[in-house]
Amino acid sequence: MNGIPLFEQGDARDSLKKKCREAKIPIKLLEDLVEAEIEQIGKLRKRGLRDRFDHLLDPNAGVEGQGD
Amino acid sequence: MFLRSIQLRDWKAYATAQFDFPVPTKNKNVVLIGAKNGYGKTSLLEAIILGLYGRDGMHALARAVTSNSDDDRSYDEFMERALHAQALQQVRTSIAITIVLEDAIERLKIVRRWHFTASGKHRRLDEEVNLFSGKDEEPVKVPGLRPSREERDDYYRSEIARKFIPFHLTEFFLFDGERVQQLAKQQQAGMVKEGVEGVLGVQLLRVLQGDLVAYAQDRRRGVENIEDETLSRVNSQITEIEARLEPCKNKITELEDQMTPINRRIEELTRAVRTMTGGNSANVKELMEDQFRFRRQREKVEERLNEMLRTDLALALAGKSLRDSVVKTLGSEIKRSEWLASKNHTREKLDRILAGLEAKDPVIRPELTEHQLLVLRQRLTDVWETLWHPPPADCAIEERHVYLSEAERRRVIERLDKVERLGVAELEQLLADHDEATVQFNRLGHQIAGLSGIEERIREDMNELQRLNQQAGQVREQMGELNRQEQNDNSELSKLRAEAGRMAARHESAQPSLARAAKAEKIAALIAEAIEDLYPRYVTRLAEEMTAVYKQLAHKTLVKKIEIATDCTVKLLGDKGSNIRRMDSSAGEEQIFALSLIAAIAKVSGTKVPIVMDTPLARLDPDHRSNVLRYFAAHAGEQVIFLSQPD
């Protein structure tokens, strides 16, 4: 996961996948949210972040239950 | 990406300068730039940091810390000092730094310019940054039709963070000796923790977690949160009323069924009574009362006729000429009576005059004789008589009706006048009234005679009718009450159904926002759990890596193991497991400790970016320097730039 070494090393990704599966959150969604947050780094105001969240967290977008 | 080149103009001691760095290879990845103190090593590091991040990079500059607590002011002061000393004299009022980053695929050129007034004041708002991509150096396009300057700067900042490293990690990859010293101090555990969390992305995850929680709160606030329970409550109220309405409707139907035979019987009885009474449902008693009324009416007419026969009719039959003659005679007698009354009245006055002739005073000279006095009396009386003769023309000569007083004569005249006004019309009306009353009286007589035989039957029917009407009234009253109740319940039901419909619609429209909020909260919780689970593992790995690096860099072998707690307190453990990190350790030892930590963080993070270190070797003895250079040289392909003193 770009920008989050915590989720990349060793068995961390497998562990994260398992947690996502259990929570029925697609790991791609988590990656997209991290990406959205990275894009905000250094900005004076978090412009557009709510819209990105709206889009990514749209209940009709994607299928839940995918762990990876 | 690695640092390919940096070009400076009017930056500190550099009027112009160009540094080109070789592509790091497996065997050649360390760049060593040697210069004595004051020859611009730190200026080059600062140029790299500020060239990449502008004002955001200030926090990574140890020297930038000034007494001024105002960040803007501090930045202005730093930049005003950074402008090359000769620039203003030579009418150059800007600084330019151009950095080129590269990797096997991409090339990014960053050009940043700072502008100043003629007197050297920093024009902060005029700072420029431009990005160019690829070998042809195409300007990096900012999304949007007309992006503002702030939007453009945000986008460029994001691009640099994405393609190189976020500015908040610069202190672990681009740093000077002072920074190493700060990290080396044990009391800086907080800073180490911040750095470790930053380099692992934990800080970013915490920010994301906070943003998701805030987003969820915002989404929940933005919609009318109709809980399922509220909707269920309204629906259960609807069910309750519907359950109450059902028996009410049944009862109304039952009462309507009861009314049908009652109404039918009432109609039958009414029809029967009407038939028996010839369309008149009154009983014999009532008929007799009516008959009595008509008899009284006829009797009154007869009384009036008798009276007329007794009084007026004879006078009427006497004829008009006779009545007029009598009226005229009586009128003339009244005149005569009035004339005589007036005459008698003046006679009294004459008698007083005649008596006056007998008076002694004044004396008449010569005195009148008896004869003269008699003649005088006679003459006066004759004169008075002439005043009353002849009597008035309409005055009777004699009184025939001497038995009548004047008032009685007048009453007779009035009576005869009344007879005069007695008309045929009144008489005819009286006779017609008499006939009508007689007809009605006789009709009712016949009717009563006809009813005499069935009166009992009518009475019975009427009694039943009365009882049924009473019963129907009671049923209707009950039905009215039930209808009112049904109406109220239906009204309430309509309101509740409408409310339930609105709530369901709002509930439905709120669902996407609530679903987003729930998802955001779930992910925030997931992130918190992942950090709690994974972070200690990394700290353990960090400690293992640091132990390995430390053992490579330090020439003492006392340290067997390095332990890092989750609060980033670092312990150097000896053979027996005791913490042997000494407060009075040498500056060189501290620097080795700090470099081990930085190297371990860089390795554990897995981030492939250049490391630029300013004078990290200054406090190290030759053995330690060799160890450090050997260690970093062993990281094939990762660019490491040392800015160091020549020795």
Side-chain angles (χ1 to χ4, degrees):
Chain A
M1 188 177 290
N2 184 28
I4 309 295
L6 182 71
F7 291 160
E8 290 301 323
Q9 299 288 304
D11 61 352
R13 190 166 179 84
D14 291 338
S15 173
L16 187 66
K17 279 183 183 176
K18 188 182 171 198
K19 286 180 191 303
C20 284
R21 242 192 326 269
E22 286 168 0
K24 296 182 177 175
I25 298 291
I27 198 164
K28 176 71 168 57
L29 172 58
L30 188 58
E31 286 172 346
D32 288 345
L33 288 168
V34 168
E35 181 69 23
E37 196 65 66
I38 286 173
E39 286 178 11
Q40 302 293 323
I41 292 171
K43 287 188 180 177
L44 298 178
R45 284 181 285 119
K46 297 200 171 186
R47 192 174 32 241
L49 185 62
R50 291 291 163 97
D51 291 340
R52 284 291 302 277
F53 281 2
D54 273 345
H55 175 69
L56 293 171
L57 298 171
D58 183 353
N60 299 318
V63 180
E64 285 197 3
Q66 303 294 320
D68 46 22
Chain B
M1 298 182 97
F2 62 88
L3 195 59
R4 191 71 177 87
S5 70
I6 178 166
Q7 189 180 42
L8 311 174
R9 182 178 58 73
D10 289 316
W11 175 257
K12 296 211 160 183
Y14 300 101
T16 58
Q18 168 90 24
F19 297 87
D20 294 313
F21 302 101
V23 177
T25 64
K26 185 177 178 184
N27 298 319
K28 288 186 179 179
N29 66 319
V30 176
V31 176
L32 201 55
I33 299 176
K36 290 181 180 176
N37 288 342
Y39 276 74
K41 295 188 298 296
T42 303
S43 296
L44 182 57
L45 175 68
E46 289 168 345
I48 293 170
I49 295 172
L50 291 193
L52 286 168
Y53 302 108
R55 186 181 179 285
D56 294 336
M58 282 294 286
H59 74 284
L61 301 184
R63 290 185 187 184
V65 178
T66 68
S67 57
N68 199 323
S69 59
D70 181 340
D71 287 348
D72 286 339
R73 192 71 207 115
S74 177
Y75 184 47
D76 289 342
E77 285 174 5
F78 182 86
M79 291 311 302
E80 283 160 14
R81 284 201 307 273
L83 181 62
H84 182 59
Q86 303 298 315
L88 292 177
Q89 292 173 13
Q90 295 171 10
V91 202
R92 293 194 304 277
T93 54
S94 68
I95 295 172
I97 296 177
T98 303
I99 295 174
V100 176
L101 304 170
E102 263 186 23
D103 62 15
I105 303 165
E106 283 186 288
R107 184 173 190 274
L108 185 68
K109 180 177 174 182
I110 303 160
V111 180
R112 195 178 293 269
R113 287 189 184 85
W114 293 265
H115 296 274
F116 300 84
T117 64
S119 62
K121 289 286 177 192
H122 180 214
R123 287 156 47 193
R124 193 187 324 127
L125 299 177
D126 293 337
E127 184 174 323
E128 288 178 76
V129 61
N130 289 290
L131 265 61
F132 303 91
S133 173
K135 288 196 184 306
D136 296 334
E137 299 188 352
E138 291 288 331
V140 173
K141 194 170 178 338
V142 180
L145 283 176
R146 284 184 173 180
S148 66
R149 180 176 174 157
E150 191 184 350
E151 286 170 332
R152 191 196 60 180
D153 289 353
D154 281 347
Y155 183 74
Y156 286 163
R157 189 183 290 112
S158 167
E159 279 292 286
I160 295 168
R162 198 164 60 83
K163 293 186 173 174
F164 195 57
I165 47 172
F167 71 86
H168 64 282
L169 300 185
T170 53
E171 53 197 321
F172 290 93
F173 295 91
L174 313 171
F175 55 88
D176 65 6
E178 291 180 40
R179 174 74 180 150
V180 174
Q181 286 305 112
Q182 285 175 353
L183 281 174
K185 292 178 182 173
Q186 195 173 16
Q187 60 268 35
Q188 296 295 328
M191 194 188 297
V192 174
K193 179 177 168 66
E194 190 181 326
V196 172
E197 287 190 353
V199 84
L200 291 177
V202 173
Q203 281 182 344
L204 185 86
L205 287 174
R206 290 199 205 283
V207 172
L208 174 59
Q209 184 191 352
D211 283 343
L212 285 169
V213 170
Y215 169 84
Q217 287 171 348
D218 188 52
R219 279 290 165 269
R220 286 191 192 286
R221 255 198 309 274
V223 298
E224 190 180 354
N225 190 4
I226 297 166
E227 298 292 342
D228 289 342
E229 286 175 13
T230 314
L231 189 55
S232 298
R233 184 168 46 74
V234 174
N235 280 330
S236 69
Q237 282 179 323
I238 290 171
T239 310
E240 189 183 324
I241 292 174
E242 283 173 342
R244 196 166 65 213
L245 259 174
E246 192 59 27
C248 180
K249 283 179 178 172
N250 291 341
K251 184 68 181 168
I252 289 171
T253 309
E254 187 186 320
L255 290 172
E256 281 171 350
D257 290 345
Q258 281 181 25
M259 277 300 287
T260 306
I262 293 173
N263 282 334
R264 194 164 47 236
R265 182 64 184 148
I266 287 172
E267 279 178 24
E268 283 172 7
L269 289 169
T270 306
R271 205 164 35 245
V273 169
R274 198 169 286 146
T275 305
M276 285 187 285
T277 58
N280 187 347
S281 59
N283 59 22
V284 172
K285 185 183 173 190
E286 286 171 338
L287 293 173
M288 290 178 75
E289 282 172 0
D290 285 348
Q291 191 188 36
F292 176 76
R293 187 163 51 79
F294 282 114
R295 190 173 66 190
R296 280 293 304 142
Q297 193 176 331
R298 192 176 63 179
E299 285 171 357
K300 278 185 183 175
V301 173
E302 285 172 351
E303 280 171 15
R304 173 69 184 136
L305 285 170
N306 287 334
E307 187 186 351
M308 286 178 74
L309 284 171
R310 197 170 55 245
T311 56
D312 301 330
L313 195 59
L315 293 173
L317 291 174
K320 182 168 172 54
S321 60
L322 180 57
R323 287 199 301 276
D324 290 346
S325 172
V326 172
V327 168
K328 189 178 177 184
T329 301
L330 289 172
S332 64
E333 285 179 354
I334 289 169
K335 287 281 182 187
R336 178 180 172 77
S337 174
E338 288 170 349
W339 175 70
L340 287 175
S342 298
K343 186 180 175 184
N344 290 337
H345 181 67
T346 55
R347 176 68 201 191
E348 288 172 10
K349 291 185 168 43
L350 175 65
D351 289 344
R352 284 169 65 185
I353 292 168
L354 293 176
L357 292 175
E358 301 290 336
K360 301 292 182 190
D361 188 27
V363 180
I364 298 172
R365 297 290 181 196
E367 188 176 353
L368 293 175
T369 64
E370 276 297 322
H371 177 70
Q372 286 177 319
L373 198 56
L374 184 64
V375 172
L376 185 58
R377 281 196 188 104
Q378 189 57 51
R379 291 260 177 105
L380 283 172
T381 303
D382 290 345
V383 170
W384 174 78
E385 279 292 343
T386 60
L387 292 175
W388 293 99
H389 285 279
D394 54 352
C395 185
I397 298 168
E398 57 178 358
E399 289 185 9
R400 291 185 188 171
H401 306 89
V402 291
Y403 48 87
L404 292 176
S405 66
E406 186 182 331
E408 285 168 337
R409 284 193 186 93
R410 289 186 189 280
R411 279 204 296 277
V412 170
I413 291 171
E414 283 176 12
R415 186 77 181 81
L416 289 174
D417 277 349
K418 192 178 173 187
V419 171
E420 200 64 37
R421 290 197 301 274
L422 178 65
V424 176
E426 186 187 3
L427 190 59
E428 284 177 348
Q429 182 60 49
L430 282 169
L431 291 172
D433 289 347
H434 185 268
D435 289 347
E436 175 62 22
T438 304
V439 168
Q440 291 297 336
F441 177 82
N442 292 337
R443 182 183 62 77
L444 289 168
H446 291 304
Q447 207 171 340
I448 289 166
L451 288 175
S452 311
I454 57 172
E455 188 178 7
E456 185 61 26
R457 170 76 188 284
I458 291 172
R459 190 180 297 112
E460 285 172 5
D461 286 355
M462 291 298 284
N463 286 342
E464 189 181 354
L465 255 178
Q466 192 176 359
R467 185 177 55 75
L468 287 172
N469 277 326
Q470 197 173 353
Q471 191 179 345
Q474 287 169 352
V475 174
R476 272 196 292 272
E477 196 175 333
Q478 255 183 297
M479 283 173 68
E481 182 63 31
L482 288 167
N483 280 327
R484 276 192 294 278
Q485 187 183 330
E486 185 191 19
Q487 201 175 349
N488 289 340
D489 281 347
N490 275 328
S491 170
E492 183 69 14
L493 201 56
S494 298
K495 284 181 196 167
L496 284 170
R497 279 177 179 153
E499 190 184 350
R502 284 194 297 272
M503 283 172 77
R506 290 201 300 269
H507 188 260
E508 194 177 341
S509 69
Q511 285 314 297
S513 288
L514 295 175
R516 283 186 175 102
K519 208 186 237 184
E521 285 167 342
K522 196 195 265 188
I523 295 170
L526 173 73
I527 290 170
E529 191 188 330
I531 292 171
E532 195 178 344
D533 180 32
L534 298 176
Y535 181 63
R537 298 191 205 180
Y538 270 95
V539 172
T540 305
R541 278 199 60 213
L542 182 66
E544 290 168 1
E545 193 61 42
M546 189 176 171
T547 303
V549 175
Y550 188 87
K551 284 181 177 175
Q552 287 182 56
L553 299 185
H555 49 64
K556 288 182 181 176
T557 55
L558 295 173
V559 176
K560 296 298 176 190
K561 186 182 177 187
I562 294 176
E563 267 188 11
I564 304 176
T566 49
D567 66 353
C568 286
T569 307
V570 183
K571 289 180 181 173
L572 303 182
L573 303 179
D575 275 338
K576 296 177 182 176
S578 59
N579 186 8
I580 60 171
R581 190 168 183 209
R582 306 193 312 269
M583 292 304 292
D584 60 345
S585 54
S586 71
E589 285 174 321
E590 290 290 354
Q591 201 156 2
I592 288 298
F593 172 84
L595 282 170
S596 301
L597 178 60
I598 289 171
I601 288 172
K603 186 162 187 185
V604 169
S605 74
T607 309
K608 304 287 185 191
V609 293
I611 295 175
V612 181
M613 288 186 272
D614 176 24
T615 59
L617 312 173
R619 298 169 192 269
L620 302 181
D621 58 38
D623 288 343
H624 278 136
R625 288 184 193 177
S626 296
N627 290 343
V628 169
L629 289 172
R630 198 176 297 117
Y631 173 81
F632 283 105
H635 288 73
E638 291 176 27
Q639 188 184 42
V640 180
I641 300 172
F642 284 112
L643 304 169
S644 183
Q645 290 171 331
D647 55 343

